[in-house]
Amino acid sequence: PSLSSATSDGFLQCLWENIPSGLIYTQGAINFTDVLVSSIRNPRLFTNTTVRPLVIVTPTDVSHVQAAVRCGRANGVHLRVRSGGHDYEGLSYRSVRADEVFGVVDLANLRSITVSADAAAGPMSTAWVDSGATLGELYYKIAKNNPEVAFSAGICPTIGVGGHFSGGGIGMMMRRFGLSIDNVIDASLVNADGDLLNRATMGEDLFWAIRGGGGESFGIVVSWKVSLVKVPSTVTAFNIVRSVDQGAIDVLSKWQDVGPTLPNDITIRVIVQGQQATFQSLYLGRCSDLVPVLSTFFPELGMTSGDCLEMTWLQSAVFFNTWNLNVPVESLLSRGTSLSTFTKNKSDYVRRAIPKEAWKSIFPWLTMNGAGMIILEPHGGFIGAVPAGATPYPHRSGVLYNIQYIALWPTGSDGSAATRWISNLYEFMGQYVSKNPREAYVNYRDLDIGQNVVVDDITTFDSGEVWGDKYFAGNFRRLAAVKAAVDPTDFFRNEQSIPPQSMAT
Ligand code: FDA
């Protein structure tokens, strides 16, 4: 709902009284646009008509986060929280509703990473990482401390820890060590009353919900305590490209069975673009051990020692992002983003292998006008062994792989062919992917699958269930009950936040 200017004036006044003015950027401020755009990746979500926040606050201390929440609450102004700004629909900094007045709490300044002293000694160590840190900063800090210690999370190094951990965190080591959320052991969170809680004081229901229930809904997570994992000093990566003419369809068909069942320390994901499939792999070990395993389990790939690239785990984090071995590991510390490419993303999960004949009809989609790419991420292993209700991420046992559809178009060009392509392909794929619900990954946010309706200032359960069932399946009801217990007035909300509904109703 729109607010009277008196209300928003009261909110701003409260911020100025409680937070250093240098950390507050109102719409009229000279630096407002620079701060707003600082972590935006997708120009689709930054146009002349994009609904902007009334104010952006950039806390340098947890007390500023608490003050912002209390000021918002007291004046009826909702807040959106931004960590790395990579949300595929921009929900951390824009609203879909033209009349919404809201503030943004941008955590980019809260990004310290403290690796426990025993991490230098080896495994079983931990780290506290603030939400405003990026994955690249986390990887770098851990590995510089000890190159045989790492963390399981996503591929793009500029992703923010805050949003990523809130939704799951899938990456090249999840078959061995699980999602990021499977390795979170404590957190500090500012709730809708502005109180600062940790695992012990928030309780296990709320601690369960923030590990995968999607960002925004339950409060502002300021920091996360994670278990680090042990990796060998040398790992092996490869990129093997097969065109349709070289039998890509046969290899891909076989991959559907092999990818999710290989030993857990091998991950092979597939990127399909044009008439080519790129099989991209991380093995937590040496080339000489990998070659015999793949020639036994996956001879169709034709992998040989000539495909192997041996490197440190930290270098592999750079390699999977850049496909280039010459980029220095310090590049992981860069927070810079570019606004050159528009994107639209959607996702699916596959529980039954797609028949080879069907792949023959899928490949032509990749050369149509407006075609982008699809990425297939194998599950199974550790990630598949976690019970579906252990965290809100329900896509566990029985999932073969996740599909991400990506439409791209350059700035200045007309995106209608690309957006038509992605929605038509998604419709076509419905016959081959999981059903009832048709599952989707909350971190690949997609507003086409449903958006909240707010009635009497509270998000309705029914509107949330439409998309919530796809992201969370049987865990959605429990998420709604946690929301009802911790934020019954629905202060933390966006177009896909969890609606409050207690189990009894
Ligand atoms: P952003 O700041 O936009 O936040 C995302 C959502 O979480 C918003 O709703 C926001 O309000 C909320 N939120 C943010 N910080 C919060 C906090 N501290 N407390 C509570 N709520 C908070 N995913 C993946 O699993 N594996 C991968 O390999 C990739 N790769 C990838 C590449 C690229 C180029 C992009 C753009 C995205 C991905 N992703 C991904 C998806 C990514 O994990 C997802 O977009 C994350 O939510 C991004 O987190 P940010 O903090 O950057 O986003």
Side-chain angles (χ1 to χ4, degrees):
S2 51
L3 293 172
S4 69
S5 59
T7 319
S8 53
D9 286 353
F11 172 59
L12 294 175
Q13 191 61 40
C14 178
L15 293 179
W16 277 312
E17 281 164 14
N18 291 285
I19 297 171
S21 58
L23 305 178
I24 301 171
Y25 302 85
T26 52
Q27 272 196 8
I30 301 175
N31 295 337
F32 175 82
T33 304
D34 291 343
V35 175
L36 177 63
V37 85
S38 59
S39 62
I40 298 182
R41 292 264 322 187
N42 187 346
R44 181 170 67 85
L45 308 167
F46 183 63
T47 67
N48 290 338
T49 54
T50 303
V51 181
R52 288 156 165 68
L54 173 71
V55 59
I56 305 171
V57 180
T58 58
T60 53
D61 188 88
V62 178
S63 64
H64 306 150
V65 179
Q66 296 178 272
V69 171
R70 291 192 176 123
C71 290
R73 207 50 206 289
N75 291 284
V77 177
H78 293 271
L79 296 180
R80 292 180 183 232
V81 50
R82 180 164 82 169
S83 291
H86 280 43
D87 191 276
Y88 279 149
E89 298 282 11
L91 299 191
S92 52
Y93 52 87
R94 65 129 190 174
S95 170
V96 171
R97 287 190 290 272
D99 62 351
E100 180 155 340
V101 177
F102 63 99
V104 164
V105 174
D106 185 319
L107 299 176
N109 291 328
L110 286 176
R111 52 202 251 214
S112 74
I113 299 167
T114 312
V115 180
S116 65
D118 56 345
M124 307 306 291
S125 53
T126 58
W128 272 101
V129 52
D130 287 351
S131 284
T134 63
L135 297 185
E137 289 168 345
L138 179 61
Y139 295 158
Y140 185 89
K141 181 86 185 242
I142 297 167
K144 281 292 161 181
N145 195 62
N146 180 342
E148 295 186 18
V149 176
F151 188 69
S152 182
I155 287 173
C156 170
T158 47
I159 293 174
V161 160
H164 191 64
F165 290 12
S166 293
I170 70 184
M172 295 303 279
M173 296 202 297
M174 65 179 170
R175 302 193 62 258
R176 173 73 179 83
F177 298 115
L179 305 167
S180 300
I181 50 169
D182 297 329
N183 297 283
V184 171
I185 52 178
D186 203 342
S188 69
L189 164 129
V190 174
N191 71 6
D193 294 327
D195 296 332
L196 184 65
L197 307 175
N198 61 23
R199 180 174 183 169
T201 52
M202 77 177 78
E204 286 302 307
D205 273 343
L206 179 52
F207 184 62
W208 172 83
I210 60 172
R211 286 173 299 148
E216 181 71 24
S217 300
F218 303 100
I220 299 182
V221 183
V222 183
S223 200
W224 311 75
K225 187 180 187 185
V226 294
S227 298
L228 304 179
V229 303
K230 173 102 175 80
V231 292
S233 55
T234 303
V235 303
T236 304
F238 67 70
N239 268 344
I240 294 178
V241 183
R242 293 283 177 262
S243 66
V244 169
D245 292 343
Q246 293 166 325
I249 290 176
D250 287 339
V251 185
L252 187 52
S253 297
K254 180 69 188 291
W255 170 87
Q256 298 179 102
D257 299 323
V258 173
T261 53
L262 280 168
N264 294 356
D265 47 13
I266 308 175
T267 293
I268 305 178
R269 67 176 196 146
V270 190
I271 300 155
V272 186
Q273 194 169 18
Q275 291 301 286
Q276 286 186 334
T278 300
F279 296 83
Q280 185 172 67
S281 176
L282 172 68
Y283 170 55
L284 298 171
R286 309 229 35 161
C287 177
S288 54
D289 295 325
L290 177 61
V291 174
V293 177
L294 288 187
S295 57
T296 306
F297 291 106
F298 197 10
E300 298 80 358
L301 183 61
M303 185 262 178
T304 68
S305 58
D307 295 310
C308 287
L309 300 167
E310 289 190 332
M311 60 189 82
T312 63
W313 178 81
L314 191 62
Q315 281 170 325
S316 80
V318 180
F319 176 73
F320 292 122
N321 184 50
T322 61
W323 298 32
N324 185 336
L325 275 179
N326 299 318
V327 177
V329 291
E330 280 65 34
S331 66
L332 293 169
L333 301 176
S334 163
R335 294 175 72 100
T337 57
S338 132
L339 279 177
S340 58
T341 311
F342 289 75
T343 59
K344 167 68 192 170
N345 307 57
K346 302 175 81 68
S347 65
D348 264 318
Y349 285 83
V350 174
R351 289 176 177 270
R352 201 175 299 164
I354 298 176
K356 194 188 291 182
E357 287 308 309
W359 280 110
K360 289 184 186 159
S361 59
I362 295 168
F363 263 88
W365 282 87
L366 277 307
T367 50
M368 282 178 188
N369 185 24
M373 62 171 105
I374 62 176
I375 301 181
L376 316 178
E377 286 151 317
H379 279 48
F382 185 123
I383 187 179
V386 175
T391 72
Y393 185 94
H395 324 287
R396 302 280 192 171
S397 172
V399 169
L400 300 177
Y401 56 94
N402 165 289
I403 305 181
Q404 183 181 184
Y405 309 90
I406 308 178
L408 316 110
W409 62 103
T411 307
S413 76
D414 168 20
S416 57
T419 47
R420 239 188 344 265
W421 171 80
I422 194 168
S423 40
N424 290 344
L425 174 58
Y426 183 77
E427 197 184 321
F428 175 78
M429 292 297 288
Q431 57 191 312
Y432 303 121
V433 298
S434 66
K435 292 178 192 58
N436 304 316
R438 182 170 182 178
E439 296 164 86
Y441 176 32
V442 64
N443 264 349
Y444 296 162
R445 191 183 310 277
D446 177 8
L447 288 179
D448 303 350
I449 66 171
Q451 292 184 37
N452 287 340
V453 174
V454 176
V455 175
D456 295 336
D457 209 25
I458 304 272
T459 303
T460 66
F461 180 82
D462 291 350
S463 65
E465 200 175 23
V466 175
W467 55 265
D469 198 30
K470 300 182 171 76
Y471 289 153
F472 305 114
N475 293 325
F476 182 67
R477 265 216 88 93
R478 182 173 172 197
L479 287 169
V482 176
K483 173 76 172 179
V486 303
D487 184 19
T489 67
D490 204 18
F491 177 65
F492 289 111
R493 73 178 179 218
N494 63 28
E495 292 75 2
Q496 285 186 340
S497 56
I498 303 291
Q501 171 131 318
S502 61
M503 285 287 190
T505 48

